[in-house]
Amino acid sequence: MAESARSEILARLRANSSPATAEQIGQELAALGFSSPAAPAAADHCIAFMANVLANKGSVELAADRAEAVRVVGRYLYNRFRTHKLVAGNDPRIAAMPWRDAGVLPRFGAAENGDSAALSYARLGVAETGAIVTWTGRANPGRNNLLPEDHLVLVNREDVVASLEEAWRRIRQDLPAGTWPRGITFTAGPSSTADVEARLVMGAHGPRRWHVILVGATPTEALAEARALSGADGT
């Protein structure tokens, strides 16, 4: 390229690169709009959410309220590890649950080597992908999502949203400017990889098992429908 042509192109670029104002950037972003979300697995957000959790190799149980959620957690821990011990973050919703009623012994804080199971309370569930959303911080240390063998997650039925776009709208609504946590995590299944010989291996860089407990008045028929949609065998 001739030097004169190069200079002309660079001059044009400089002339058109005046900094935009925040208002102009906002207007241009708004003009882009959003693409339509993927078609949901079911019209009911909670059924679609559970179907996608199962399709992502997670497992699901229902609990009508927090008292039943405690019993579900206790039963899961005993069946898996013959213990009622687990680690949980300093989420006040977890601390307020009636753990003694089920003999569960949570230790509040960050997971350490040797912890078999951790419990988180999700801020949101996303029906479109089957993901749960957590904040990183004292209420849910990042290690709790990654270190233990099993990660148990409580999700309130009313906190299940249809799409990722709606999830981000809720996040911005719940986290005013200046109050954002260190991290926002979307988790959609147990850890897995197929990098070596295209063989699926669970627990490559996080939990081998991911168990979601949907808290609220959800009929058992909804879970059966979610299993049918996902092709899960009910185990």
Side-chain angles (χ1 to χ4, degrees):
M1 181 185 293
E3 187 63 33
S4 59
R6 187 193 304 273
S7 299
E8 184 180 347
I9 291 171
L10 291 174
R12 251 188 252 157
L13 288 172
R14 292 189 191 98
N16 294 325
S17 63
S18 56
T21 65
E23 184 179 358
Q24 289 172 324
I25 293 172
Q27 289 172 348
E28 291 182 14
L29 285 173
L32 292 174
F34 294 98
S35 61
S36 300
D44 184 287
H45 294 168
C46 289
I47 294 175
F49 171 68
M50 292 188 292
N52 280 321
V53 169
L54 293 166
N56 295 342
K57 308 300 182 185
S59 53
V60 180
E61 280 191 81
L62 302 177
D65 51 34
R66 294 188 185 185
E68 186 174 353
V70 167
R71 293 192 291 273
V72 169
V73 170
R75 184 169 62 246
Y76 181 96
L77 293 173
Y78 186 78
N79 289 340
R80 280 282 296 128
F81 304 108
R82 290 297 186 266
T83 182
H84 282 151
K85 295 181 179 180
L86 81 166
V87 63
N90 291 288
D91 189 316
R93 296 173 297 174
I94 294 177
M97 295 174 72
W99 294 112
R100 292 185 181 180
D101 292 355
V104 178
L105 304 170
R107 191 190 84 249
F108 296 101
E112 299 173 356
N113 290 335
D115 283 323
S116 300
L119 177 70
S120 301
Y121 215 127
R123 301 288 180 160
L124 297 170
V126 185
E128 180 183 2
T129 61
I132 59 93
V133 184
T134 54
W135 305 165
T136 299
R138 290 186 71 252
N140 189 64
R143 284 191 290 175
N144 292 12
N145 293 11
L146 299 171
L147 190 59
E149 187 89 352
D150 290 33
H151 186 201
L152 288 75
V153 183
L154 301 169
V155 185
N156 288 340
R157 177 182 170 85
E158 61 269 22
D159 290 331
V160 176
V161 298
S163 65
L164 288 167
E165 287 81 7
E166 188 175 348
W168 280 109
R169 283 193 288 271
R170 278 282 302 270
I171 289 168
R172 293 186 180 97
Q173 172 186 315
D174 295 345
L175 292 171
T179 66
W180 281 56
R182 186 168 186 176
I184 297 173
T185 304
F186 286 70
T187 304
S191 172
S192 62
T193 183
D195 290 345
V196 180
E197 298 180 353
R199 294 176 60 188
L200 183 65
V201 177
M202 308 303 290
H205 41 68
R208 292 178 183 273
R209 293 174 181 82
W210 185 63
H211 191 63
V212 174
I213 302 164
L214 186 63
V215 183
T218 303
T220 55
E221 293 81 2
L223 180 53
E225 183 176 344
R227 287 196 172 114
L229 288 168
S230 69
D233 61 7
T235 58

